[in-house]
């Protein structure tokens, strides 16, 4: 069997490497020359624990090869980004162009699988695109959708152990796609149809977004009510059927803050809660920025000098180095743009940044008058609470 991956990013590369680890021939395709070069040297262009070793082994054993051009294979996986356009409409143009590049190489008996997060109906659209161009393949090709569900930072484990939802355009397609995932997945495989599988991915991430919005809304209410939201949630969660998530500086990353819009965009009248959750989670970041600005003004009025403010954390969630779609980064940019105040910016998981000059977290904590915790990195939890500082704990580091 030969497997081809179109897209060697955060999901395509680890999946390709895990399949190659099984001794299966893997051909990885990426448009970026640098990415292809790096992988063929047994190195990686993203950060994910343990991944470089698996890629290196695959390349050295001759099972894994990266290239800029696609080839003939038995299984083809589309793992390219699906961002949204300015008005929050999903942009499936990368999926479309990836499908077009392999269209001439498809042959009877092949399996074509989309893993990219996609609006409902995308797999059927790609099937139409394929069969319009290659009518002789009708009934000869398996076409399916199978969303990835891995958590950044734990990708290698979850790729193998998570359950997978697999939906074909017909039952033969579903079965053929299941046969492929059986080669490396130890979790359970759940067969369904393509539209349900597409909706399932969007539902999982929207569900998490809605639950976080509930926690964030509570944090705004508690701020006014003079109630400690962290203690409140901990106590409410003692109820056997209540499980509230944690509030924070907003919702970031490239999945949870994006995918719900794929539902809202196609079904705007029906998706009231999903749309509102997006608004609440975005508003939470704006609210945090305003709180910091107010604290700086109050400090200046009280002390007759400008405050030094420490921005603690830039990543989109704790203990990672990923700053994409990060609410903390947004807040830092917002508070730092208008003021002539002094800022110390901290992100312990990266060594340097093109825009922010970074300071060590202990030094920043010592020197600053106002401390704004935007991410609950483990390092921050080792600091002692200080009563003489203005501490804005949006991330629940001290839970005070
Ligand atoms: N967050 C909170 N409070 C919480 C949990 C998370 O504010 O209680 C925030 C985080 O700080 C972060 C954002 O939500 O800014 C997203 O973080 P996350 O850990 O919830 O999710 P991701 O984006 O790292 O990964 C999600 C996962 N989806 C679900 O848990 C339903 C992962 O399984 C998916 O594979 C991934 O999206 C994806 O690729 O879609």
């Amino acid at each position: 069997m030969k497997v081809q991956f179109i897209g060697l990013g955060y999901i395509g590369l680890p999946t390709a490497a895990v399949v190659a680890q099984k001794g299966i021939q893997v051909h990885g395709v990426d448009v970026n020359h640098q990415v292809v070069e790096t992988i063929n040297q047994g190195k990686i262009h993203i950060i994910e624990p343990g991944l470089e070793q698996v890629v290196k082994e695959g390349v050295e054993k001759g099972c894994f090869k990266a290239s800029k051009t696609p080839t003939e294979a038995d299984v083809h996986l589309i793992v390219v980004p699906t961002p949204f356009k300015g008005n929050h409409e999903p942009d499936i143009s990368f999926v479309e162009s990836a499908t077009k590049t392999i269209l001439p190489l498809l042959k009877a008996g092949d399996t074509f699988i989309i893993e990219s997060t996609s609006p409902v109906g995308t797999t059927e659209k790609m099937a139409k695109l394929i069969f319009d161009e290659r009518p002789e393949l009708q009934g000869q090709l398996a076409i399916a959708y199978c969303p990835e569900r891995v958590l950044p930072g734990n990708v290698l484990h979850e790729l193998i152990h998570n359950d997978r939802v697999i939906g074909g355009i017909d039952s033969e397609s579903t079965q053929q796609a299941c046969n492929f995932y059986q080669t490396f997945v130890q979790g359970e495989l759940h067969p369904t149809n393509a539209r349900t599988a597409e909706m399932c991915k969007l539902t999982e991430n929207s569900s998490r977004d809605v639950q976080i919005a509930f926690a964030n809304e509570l944090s705004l209410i508690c701020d006014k009510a003079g109630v400690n939201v962290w203690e409140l949630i901990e106590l409410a969660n003692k109820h056997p059927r209540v499980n509230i998530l944690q509030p924070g500086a907003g919702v970031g990353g490239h999945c949870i803050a994006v995918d719900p819009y794929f539902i809202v965009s196609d079904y705007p009248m029906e998706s009231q809660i999903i749309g509102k959750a997006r608004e609440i989670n975005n508003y939470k970041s704006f609210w945090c920025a305003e709180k910091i600005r107010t604290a700086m003004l109050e400090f200046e009025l009280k002390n007759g000098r400008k405050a030094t403010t420490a921005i603690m954390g830039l990543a989109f969630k704790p203990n990672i180095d990923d700053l994409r779609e990060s609410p903390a980064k947004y807040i830092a940019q917002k508070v730092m743009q208008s003021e002539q105040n002094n800022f110390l910016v901290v992100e312990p998981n990266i060594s340097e940044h093109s825009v922010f000059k970074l300071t060590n977290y202990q030094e920043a904590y010592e020197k600053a008058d106002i401390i704004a915790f935007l991410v609950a990195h483990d390092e921050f939890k080792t600091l002692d609470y200080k009563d003489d500082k203005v501490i804005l704990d949006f991330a629940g580091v001290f839970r005070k």
Side-chain angles (χ1 to χ4, degrees), residues 148-150 152 201 205 208 212 245-246 252 255 316-317:
E148 60 76 20
R149 309 157 112 183
V150 292
K201 169 71 187 186
N205 282 352
R208 195 151 168 89
I212 298 168
L245 292 180
Q246 301 298 303
C255 309
F316 88 80
K317 67 176 186 176

Side-chain angles (χ1 to χ4, degrees), residues 11 117 147-153 158 162 201 203-209 211-213 215-216 244-257 259 281 315-318 320 325-327 374-375:
I11 303 302
T117 302
E148 60 76 20
R149 309 157 112 183
V150 292
L151 199 69
E158 294 207 355
N162 284 0
K201 169 71 187 186
T203 301
E204 289 161 13
N205 282 352
S206 300
S207 153
R208 195 151 168 89
D209 198 43
Q211 290 179 54
I212 298 168
N216 277 333
I244 305 169
L245 292 180
Q246 301 298 303
V251 169
H254 21 280
C255 309
I256 304 222
D259 300 357
N281 286 333
F316 88 80
K317 67 176 186 176
I320 59 164
E325 316 292 336
S326 169
L374 303 182
V375 192

Side-chain angles (χ1 to χ4, degrees), residues 156 266 268 331 376:
L156 288 181
D266 284 344
I331 294 166

Side-chain angles (χ1 to χ4, degrees), residues 339-352:
E339 316 287 332
Q340 278 109 43
N341 283 267
N342 306 314
F343 291 98
L344 298 169
V345 182
V346 173
E347 180 40 72
N349 296 292
I350 55 173
S351 51
E352 55 181 352

Side-chain angles (χ1 to χ4, degrees), residues 2-126:
K2 186 168 181 180
V3 181
Q4 162 155 261
F5 286 81
I6 310 291
L8 294 172
Y10 279 82
I11 303 302
L13 178 59
T15 315
V18 164
V19 173
Q21 204 177 27
K22 292 277 161 197
I24 297 168
Q25 279 301 317
V26 172
H27 182 86
V29 179
D30 203 284
V31 286
N32 187 324
H33 175 72
Q34 199 68 42
V35 168
V36 169
E37 291 270 291
T38 309
I39 293 168
N40 283 335
Q41 286 164 15
K43 297 188 182 135
I44 59 174
H45 60 291
I46 55 175
I47 297 176
E48 181 57 41
L51 179 61
E52 184 150 292
Q53 185 57 28
V54 184
V55 169
K56 189 166 170 270
E57 278 167 23
V59 171
E60 280 174 1
K61 271 199 293 183
C63 291
F64 185 20
K65 195 175 175 333
S67 166
K68 279 188 79 178
T69 48
T71 180
E72 280 206 347
D74 306 298
V75 181
H76 309 261
L77 286 110
I78 307 291
V79 202
V80 292
T82 38
F84 53 58
K85 302 174 200 158
N87 50 359
H88 291 145
E89 256 181 60
D91 175 4
I92 60 162
S93 59
F94 294 119
V95 175
E96 245 160 21
S97 58
T99 305
K100 282 181 188 157
T101 55
I102 55 167
L103 229 165
L105 298 159
L106 295 173
K107 56 185 187 327
D110 281 3
T111 308
F112 172 91
I113 301 169
I114 301 173
E115 283 205 1
S116 310
T117 302
S118 300
V120 175
T122 304
T123 310
E124 288 168 357
K125 255 191 211 160
M126 292 309 111

